[in-house]
Amino acid sequence: MFELKSLSPKGVDAALEKALRYRLLNEPREAESICRDIIQVDPANHEALVTLILALTDQLATKGARCADEARALLSRLQDEYEEAYYAGIICERRASAHLGRRSPGSGFIAHDLLREAMDCYERAEKTRPSGNDDAILRWNTCARFVMEEEHIRPKPEDDFEPMLE
């Protein structure tokens, strides 16, 4: 339908600042679009990739699985074991929040599983973190507190149902 216009290579830095600002203004769709323009011109731009992952996860409550799948697919482009694990945790944690926001049956069970998965990711990140970087520990603690404090976030009970045999 439309042919998108290309960003000039000299405009990348200013565009990245705008993308960051749009995220802070809670306008992730705009940040996502800008990051896509940057990546079109500079496919290896690390900040644009990270900002795109975060902008996509900012939209999980409204766009759901498409955003989560795309954010996960971008992880391999980060080329850093710590960041791959850390942002995988962010994706899981935000998916959990999106499920809780929907208040659908079983959302507490799904959120529990996603928060535990996030905690596993943060533990992997912690093992390869740069010296002095405690971000993965902070995120792990946040997830742990969330699970411990919210009674509706719990593991799915084992199914004790046994069919009657005739």
Side-chain angles (χ1 to χ4, degrees), residues 64-112:
R66 180 195 70 82
C67 288
D69 292 343
E70 188 172 355
R72 274 194 304 272
L74 291 168
L75 291 174
S76 63
R77 293 178 61 183
L78 293 176
Q79 300 177 352
D80 178 275
E81 190 178 353
Y82 164 78
E83 285 192 340
E84 233 180 285
Y86 180 79
Y87 288 108
I90 294 283
I91 293 167
C92 291
E93 189 177 347
R94 291 183 175 188
R95 284 182 61 211
S97 292
H99 277 283
L100 288 172
R102 290 186 191 106
R103 300 272 187 220
S104 59
S107 61
F109 303 138
I110 295 168
H112 177 273

Short mmCIF file of all heavy atoms in Angstrom, two decimals, residues 64-112:
data_model
loop_
_atom_site.label_atom_id
_atom_site.label_comp_id
_atom_site.label_asym_id
_atom_site.label_seq_id
_atom_site.Cartn_x
_atom_site.Cartn_y
_atom_site.Cartn_z
N GLY A 64 -0.73 -8.49 22.69
CA GLY A 64 -0.51 -9.87 23.10
C GLY A 64 0.60 -10.62 22.41
O GLY A 64 1.72 -10.15 22.29
N ALA A 65 0.27 -11.82 21.98
CA ALA A 65 1.25 -12.80 21.52
C ALA A 65 2.13 -12.31 20.37
O ALA A 65 3.31 -12.63 20.32
CB ALA A 65 0.54 -14.08 21.12
N ARG A 66 1.58 -11.53 19.46
CA ARG A 66 2.39 -11.05 18.34
C ARG A 66 3.60 -10.29 18.85
O ARG A 66 4.73 -10.49 18.40
CB ARG A 66 1.58 -10.16 17.40
CG ARG A 66 2.43 -9.64 16.22
CD ARG A 66 1.77 -8.48 15.47
NE ARG A 66 1.72 -7.24 16.21
CZ ARG A 66 2.74 -6.36 16.29
NH1 ARG A 66 3.90 -6.61 15.75
NH2 ARG A 66 2.59 -5.24 16.96
N CYS A 67 3.39 -9.42 19.81
CA CYS A 67 4.49 -8.62 20.35
C CYS A 67 5.49 -9.49 21.11
O CYS A 67 6.70 -9.29 20.99
CB CYS A 67 3.95 -7.51 21.26
SG CYS A 67 3.14 -6.20 20.36
N ALA A 68 4.99 -10.43 21.88
CA ALA A 68 5.88 -11.31 22.65
C ALA A 68 6.73 -12.15 21.71
O ALA A 68 7.94 -12.28 21.91
CB ALA A 68 5.06 -12.21 23.57
N ASP A 69 6.12 -12.70 20.67
CA ASP A 69 6.86 -13.53 19.71
C ASP A 69 7.93 -12.72 19.00
O ASP A 69 9.06 -13.18 18.83
CB ASP A 69 5.91 -14.14 18.69
CG ASP A 69 4.97 -15.18 19.30
OD1 ASP A 69 5.26 -15.66 20.42
OD2 ASP A 69 3.96 -15.50 18.66
N GLU A 70 7.57 -11.53 18.58
CA GLU A 70 8.55 -10.70 17.87
C GLU A 70 9.68 -10.26 18.80
O GLU A 70 10.85 -10.26 18.41
CB GLU A 70 7.87 -9.48 17.24
CG GLU A 70 8.84 -8.73 16.35
CD GLU A 70 8.19 -7.62 15.56
OE1 GLU A 70 6.97 -7.46 15.61
OE2 GLU A 70 8.95 -6.91 14.88
N ALA A 71 9.35 -9.90 20.03
CA ALA A 71 10.39 -9.50 20.99
C ALA A 71 11.35 -10.66 21.24
O ALA A 71 12.57 -10.47 21.26
CB ALA A 71 9.75 -9.02 22.29
N ARG A 72 10.81 -11.87 21.41
CA ARG A 72 11.67 -13.04 21.63
C ARG A 72 12.56 -13.30 20.41
O ARG A 72 13.72 -13.66 20.57
CB ARG A 72 10.82 -14.28 21.92
CG ARG A 72 10.47 -14.42 23.38
CD ARG A 72 9.94 -15.82 23.71
NE ARG A 72 8.80 -16.21 22.91
CZ ARG A 72 7.54 -15.94 23.23
NH1 ARG A 72 7.26 -15.29 24.33
NH2 ARG A 72 6.55 -16.33 22.45
N ALA A 73 12.03 -13.10 19.23
CA ALA A 73 12.82 -13.33 18.02
C ALA A 73 13.99 -12.34 17.93
O ALA A 73 15.04 -12.67 17.35
CB ALA A 73 11.93 -13.21 16.78
N LEU A 74 13.84 -11.17 18.49
CA LEU A 74 14.91 -10.17 18.46
C LEU A 74 16.05 -10.46 19.44
O LEU A 74 17.15 -9.93 19.29
CB LEU A 74 14.34 -8.78 18.74
CG LEU A 74 13.43 -8.19 17.68
CD1 LEU A 74 12.71 -6.97 18.21
CD2 LEU A 74 14.24 -7.84 16.43
N LEU A 75 15.80 -11.30 20.43
CA LEU A 75 16.80 -11.57 21.46
C LEU A 75 18.12 -12.07 20.89
O LEU A 75 19.19 -11.67 21.34
CB LEU A 75 16.27 -12.58 22.48
CG LEU A 75 15.15 -12.11 23.39
CD1 LEU A 75 14.63 -13.26 24.24
CD2 LEU A 75 15.60 -10.95 24.26
N SER A 76 18.05 -12.93 19.89
CA SER A 76 19.28 -13.50 19.32
C SER A 76 20.15 -12.46 18.63
O SER A 76 21.34 -12.67 18.42
CB SER A 76 18.94 -14.63 18.34
OG SER A 76 18.21 -14.11 17.25
N ARG A 77 19.57 -11.34 18.30
CA ARG A 77 20.34 -10.28 17.64
C ARG A 77 21.13 -9.42 18.63
O ARG A 77 21.94 -8.60 18.22
CB ARG A 77 19.40 -9.39 16.82
CG ARG A 77 18.80 -10.18 15.64
CD ARG A 77 17.85 -9.38 14.82
NE ARG A 77 18.46 -8.22 14.22
CZ ARG A 77 17.78 -7.33 13.51
NH1 ARG A 77 16.50 -7.50 13.31
NH2 ARG A 77 18.39 -6.28 13.00
N LEU A 78 20.91 -9.63 19.93
CA LEU A 78 21.62 -8.83 20.93
C LEU A 78 23.09 -9.23 21.05
O LEU A 78 23.92 -8.44 21.45
CB LEU A 78 20.93 -8.93 22.29
CG LEU A 78 19.55 -8.30 22.36
CD1 LEU A 78 18.94 -8.54 23.73
CD2 LEU A 78 19.61 -6.82 22.06
N GLN A 79 23.42 -10.46 20.73
CA GLN A 79 24.81 -10.95 20.71
C GLN A 79 25.53 -10.79 22.04
O GLN A 79 26.73 -10.54 22.08
CB GLN A 79 25.60 -10.30 19.57
CG GLN A 79 25.00 -10.57 18.23
CD GLN A 79 25.71 -9.88 17.10
OE1 GLN A 79 26.59 -9.06 17.29
NE2 GLN A 79 25.34 -10.22 15.88
N ASP A 80 24.83 -10.90 23.14
CA ASP A 80 25.43 -10.83 24.46
C ASP A 80 24.62 -11.76 25.35
O ASP A 80 23.41 -11.58 25.49
CB ASP A 80 25.38 -9.39 24.98
CG ASP A 80 25.95 -9.26 26.38
OD1 ASP A 80 25.19 -9.49 27.34
OD2 ASP A 80 27.13 -8.92 26.50
N GLU A 81 25.26 -12.76 25.93
CA GLU A 81 24.57 -13.78 26.72
C GLU A 81 23.80 -13.17 27.89
O GLU A 81 22.66 -13.57 28.16
CB GLU A 81 25.61 -14.78 27.23
CG GLU A 81 25.03 -16.01 27.87
CD GLU A 81 26.10 -16.99 28.31
OE1 GLU A 81 27.29 -16.78 28.01
OE2 GLU A 81 25.73 -17.97 28.98
N TYR A 82 24.40 -12.20 28.55
CA TYR A 82 23.72 -11.55 29.68
C TYR A 82 22.44 -10.87 29.21
O TYR A 82 21.37 -11.09 29.78
CB TYR A 82 24.65 -10.53 30.35
CG TYR A 82 23.88 -9.58 31.25
CD1 TYR A 82 23.46 -9.98 32.51
CD2 TYR A 82 23.54 -8.31 30.80
CE1 TYR A 82 22.71 -9.13 33.32
CE2 TYR A 82 22.80 -7.45 31.61
CZ TYR A 82 22.39 -7.86 32.86
OH TYR A 82 21.64 -7.03 33.65
N GLU A 83 22.56 -10.04 28.19
CA GLU A 83 21.38 -9.28 27.74
C GLU A 83 20.30 -10.19 27.18
O GLU A 83 19.12 -9.93 27.38
CB GLU A 83 21.79 -8.22 26.71
CG GLU A 83 22.48 -7.05 27.35
CD GLU A 83 22.63 -5.88 26.40
OE1 GLU A 83 22.55 -6.08 25.17
OE2 GLU A 83 22.82 -4.77 26.91
N GLU A 84 20.72 -11.24 26.49
CA GLU A 84 19.72 -12.17 25.96
C GLU A 84 18.88 -12.76 27.10
O GLU A 84 17.65 -12.80 27.02
CB GLU A 84 20.42 -13.31 25.21
CG GLU A 84 19.90 -13.51 23.82
CD GLU A 84 20.60 -14.63 23.10
OE1 GLU A 84 21.75 -14.43 22.68
OE2 GLU A 84 19.96 -15.69 22.93
N ALA A 85 19.55 -13.20 28.16
CA ALA A 85 18.83 -13.78 29.30
C ALA A 85 18.04 -12.71 30.04
O ALA A 85 16.88 -12.94 30.42
CB ALA A 85 19.82 -14.46 30.25
N TYR A 86 18.63 -11.54 30.24
CA TYR A 86 17.96 -10.47 30.99
C TYR A 86 16.68 -10.03 30.28
O TYR A 86 15.61 -9.95 30.90
CB TYR A 86 18.91 -9.29 31.16
CG TYR A 86 18.28 -8.14 31.91
CD1 TYR A 86 18.17 -8.17 33.30
CD2 TYR A 86 17.80 -7.02 31.23
CE1 TYR A 86 17.58 -7.11 33.99
CE2 TYR A 86 17.21 -5.97 31.92
CZ TYR A 86 17.12 -6.02 33.29
OH TYR A 86 16.53 -4.98 33.97
N TYR A 87 16.76 -9.76 28.98
CA TYR A 87 15.57 -9.29 28.26
C TYR A 87 14.56 -10.42 28.03
O TYR A 87 13.36 -10.15 27.94
CB TYR A 87 15.96 -8.58 26.97
CG TYR A 87 16.59 -7.23 27.29
CD1 TYR A 87 17.94 -7.01 27.12
CD2 TYR A 87 15.82 -6.20 27.82
CE1 TYR A 87 18.52 -5.78 27.45
CE2 TYR A 87 16.38 -4.98 28.16
CZ TYR A 87 17.72 -4.78 27.97
OH TYR A 87 18.28 -3.58 28.31
N ALA A 88 15.00 -11.67 28.01
CA ALA A 88 14.05 -12.79 27.98
C ALA A 88 13.23 -12.77 29.27
O ALA A 88 12.02 -13.01 29.24
CB ALA A 88 14.78 -14.12 27.82
N GLY A 89 13.89 -12.46 30.38
CA GLY A 89 13.18 -12.34 31.65
C GLY A 89 12.18 -11.20 31.63
O GLY A 89 11.05 -11.34 32.12
N ILE A 90 12.59 -10.07 31.07
CA ILE A 90 11.68 -8.91 30.96
C ILE A 90 10.43 -9.31 30.17
O ILE A 90 9.31 -8.97 30.55
CB ILE A 90 12.39 -7.72 30.28
CG1 ILE A 90 13.52 -7.18 31.15
CG2 ILE A 90 11.39 -6.63 29.89
CD1 ILE A 90 13.10 -6.33 32.31
N ILE A 91 10.64 -10.01 29.06
CA ILE A 91 9.50 -10.42 28.23
C ILE A 91 8.54 -11.30 29.05
O ILE A 91 7.33 -11.07 29.05
CB ILE A 91 9.98 -11.15 26.95
CG1 ILE A 91 10.74 -10.17 26.04
CG2 ILE A 91 8.80 -11.79 26.21
CD1 ILE A 91 11.52 -10.85 24.92
N CYS A 92 9.08 -12.28 29.76
CA CYS A 92 8.23 -13.17 30.57
C CYS A 92 7.51 -12.39 31.67
O CYS A 92 6.31 -12.60 31.90
CB CYS A 92 9.07 -14.28 31.20
SG CYS A 92 9.70 -15.47 30.02
N GLU A 93 8.24 -11.53 32.32
CA GLU A 93 7.65 -10.74 33.42
C GLU A 93 6.51 -9.86 32.92
O GLU A 93 5.44 -9.79 33.54
CB GLU A 93 8.75 -9.89 34.05
CG GLU A 93 8.36 -9.21 35.32
CD GLU A 93 9.51 -8.43 35.94
OE1 GLU A 93 10.68 -8.59 35.55
OE2 GLU A 93 9.21 -7.62 36.85
N ARG A 94 6.71 -9.23 31.79
CA ARG A 94 5.66 -8.36 31.25
C ARG A 94 4.49 -9.15 30.70
O ARG A 94 3.35 -8.69 30.75
CB ARG A 94 6.26 -7.41 30.22
CG ARG A 94 7.18 -6.38 30.87
CD ARG A 94 7.72 -5.40 29.89
NE ARG A 94 8.49 -4.37 30.58
CZ ARG A 94 8.96 -3.30 29.99
NH1 ARG A 94 8.76 -3.10 28.70
NH2 ARG A 94 9.66 -2.43 30.67
N ARG A 95 4.76 -10.34 30.18
CA ARG A 95 3.65 -11.21 29.75
C ARG A 95 2.81 -11.59 30.96
O ARG A 95 1.58 -11.62 30.87
CB ARG A 95 4.19 -12.46 29.06
CG ARG A 95 4.69 -12.23 27.66
CD ARG A 95 5.16 -13.52 27.01
NE ARG A 95 4.08 -14.48 26.92
CZ ARG A 95 4.27 -15.81 26.97
NH1 ARG A 95 5.47 -16.31 27.11
NH2 ARG A 95 3.24 -16.61 26.87
N ALA A 96 3.47 -11.87 32.09
CA ALA A 96 2.73 -12.20 33.31
C ALA A 96 1.83 -11.05 33.72
O ALA A 96 0.65 -11.25 34.05
CB ALA A 96 3.72 -12.53 34.44
N SER A 97 2.36 -9.84 33.68
CA SER A 97 1.55 -8.66 34.04
C SER A 97 0.37 -8.49 33.10
O SER A 97 -0.73 -8.14 33.53
CB SER A 97 2.43 -7.41 34.03
OG SER A 97 3.36 -7.46 35.08
N ALA A 98 0.60 -8.74 31.82
CA ALA A 98 -0.49 -8.61 30.84
C ALA A 98 -1.59 -9.63 31.13
O ALA A 98 -2.78 -9.31 31.07
CB ALA A 98 0.05 -8.78 29.42
N HIS A 99 -1.20 -10.87 31.46
CA HIS A 99 -2.21 -11.89 31.79
C HIS A 99 -2.99 -11.50 33.04
O HIS A 99 -4.21 -11.66 33.08
CB HIS A 99 -1.56 -13.25 31.98
CG HIS A 99 -1.33 -13.98 30.71
ND1 HIS A 99 -2.32 -14.63 30.02
CD2 HIS A 99 -0.20 -14.15 29.97
CE1 HIS A 99 -1.84 -15.16 28.93
NE2 HIS A 99 -0.55 -14.88 28.87
N LEU A 100 -2.30 -10.99 34.03
CA LEU A 100 -2.98 -10.57 35.25
C LEU A 100 -3.96 -9.44 34.98
O LEU A 100 -5.04 -9.39 35.57
CB LEU A 100 -1.98 -10.15 36.31
CG LEU A 100 -1.20 -11.29 36.95
CD1 LEU A 100 -0.10 -10.74 37.84
CD2 LEU A 100 -2.13 -12.20 37.73
N GLY A 101 -3.59 -8.54 34.09
CA GLY A 101 -4.45 -7.42 33.75
C GLY A 101 -5.74 -7.85 33.08
O GLY A 101 -6.75 -7.16 33.18
N ARG A 102 -5.72 -8.98 32.42
CA ARG A 102 -6.92 -9.47 31.73
C ARG A 102 -7.93 -10.08 32.70
O ARG A 102 -9.10 -10.21 32.38
CB ARG A 102 -6.52 -10.51 30.68
CG ARG A 102 -5.80 -9.90 29.51
CD ARG A 102 -5.56 -10.93 28.42
NE ARG A 102 -4.65 -10.37 27.45
CZ ARG A 102 -3.37 -10.72 27.31
NH1 ARG A 102 -2.86 -11.66 28.06
NH2 ARG A 102 -2.61 -10.14 26.40
N ARG A 103 -7.46 -10.52 33.86
CA ARG A 103 -8.32 -11.11 34.88
C ARG A 103 -9.17 -12.26 34.34
O ARG A 103 -10.32 -12.44 34.73
CB ARG A 103 -9.24 -10.06 35.50
CG ARG A 103 -8.52 -8.94 36.18
CD ARG A 103 -8.25 -9.33 37.60
NE ARG A 103 -7.68 -8.17 38.31
CZ ARG A 103 -6.72 -8.29 39.18
NH1 ARG A 103 -6.21 -9.46 39.45
NH2 ARG A 103 -6.25 -7.23 39.78
N SER A 104 -8.62 -13.02 33.42
CA SER A 104 -9.35 -14.15 32.87
C SER A 104 -9.13 -15.38 33.74
O SER A 104 -8.18 -15.43 34.52
CB SER A 104 -8.92 -14.42 31.43
OG SER A 104 -7.53 -14.69 31.39
N PRO A 105 -10.02 -16.37 33.64
CA PRO A 105 -9.85 -17.58 34.44
C PRO A 105 -8.47 -18.20 34.18
O PRO A 105 -8.04 -18.34 33.03
CB PRO A 105 -10.97 -18.51 33.95
CG PRO A 105 -11.99 -17.59 33.37
CD PRO A 105 -11.22 -16.43 32.80
N GLY A 106 -7.78 -18.54 35.25
CA GLY A 106 -6.46 -19.15 35.12
C GLY A 106 -5.31 -18.18 34.95
O GLY A 106 -4.17 -18.59 34.84
N SER A 107 -5.62 -16.88 34.92
CA SER A 107 -4.55 -15.91 34.68
C SER A 107 -3.50 -15.93 35.80
O SER A 107 -2.32 -15.70 35.54
CB SER A 107 -5.10 -14.50 34.48
OG SER A 107 -5.80 -14.06 35.63
N GLY A 108 -3.91 -16.23 37.02
CA GLY A 108 -2.97 -16.31 38.12
C GLY A 108 -1.99 -17.48 37.96
O GLY A 108 -0.82 -17.37 38.30
N PHE A 109 -2.50 -18.59 37.41
CA PHE A 109 -1.64 -19.75 37.16
C PHE A 109 -0.65 -19.45 36.04
O PHE A 109 0.54 -19.77 36.14
CB PHE A 109 -2.48 -20.98 36.77
CG PHE A 109 -3.52 -21.37 37.79
CD1 PHE A 109 -4.78 -21.75 37.37
CD2 PHE A 109 -3.24 -21.38 39.14
CE1 PHE A 109 -5.75 -22.14 38.30
CE2 PHE A 109 -4.19 -21.76 40.08
CZ PHE A 109 -5.45 -22.13 39.65
N ILE A 110 -1.15 -18.83 34.98
CA ILE A 110 -0.28 -18.47 33.86
C ILE A 110 0.77 -17.46 34.31
O ILE A 110 1.95 -17.60 33.99
CB ILE A 110 -1.12 -17.90 32.68
CG1 ILE A 110 -2.04 -18.98 32.11
CG2 ILE A 110 -0.21 -17.33 31.60
CD1 ILE A 110 -3.10 -18.46 31.16
N ALA A 111 0.34 -16.48 35.07
CA ALA A 111 1.28 -15.47 35.58
C ALA A 111 2.35 -16.11 36.45
O ALA A 111 3.53 -15.77 36.36
CB ALA A 111 0.53 -14.39 36.36
N HIS A 112 1.95 -17.05 37.29
CA HIS A 112 2.92 -17.74 38.14
C HIS A 112 3.99 -18.42 37.29
O HIS A 112 5.20 -18.27 37.54
CB HIS A 112 2.22 -18.78 39.02
CG HIS A 112 3.17 -19.56 39.87
ND1 HIS A 112 3.79 -20.70 39.41
CD2 HIS A 112 3.64 -19.34 41.12
CE1 HIS A 112 4.60 -21.15 40.35
NE2 HIS A 112 4.52 -20.35 41.41
#
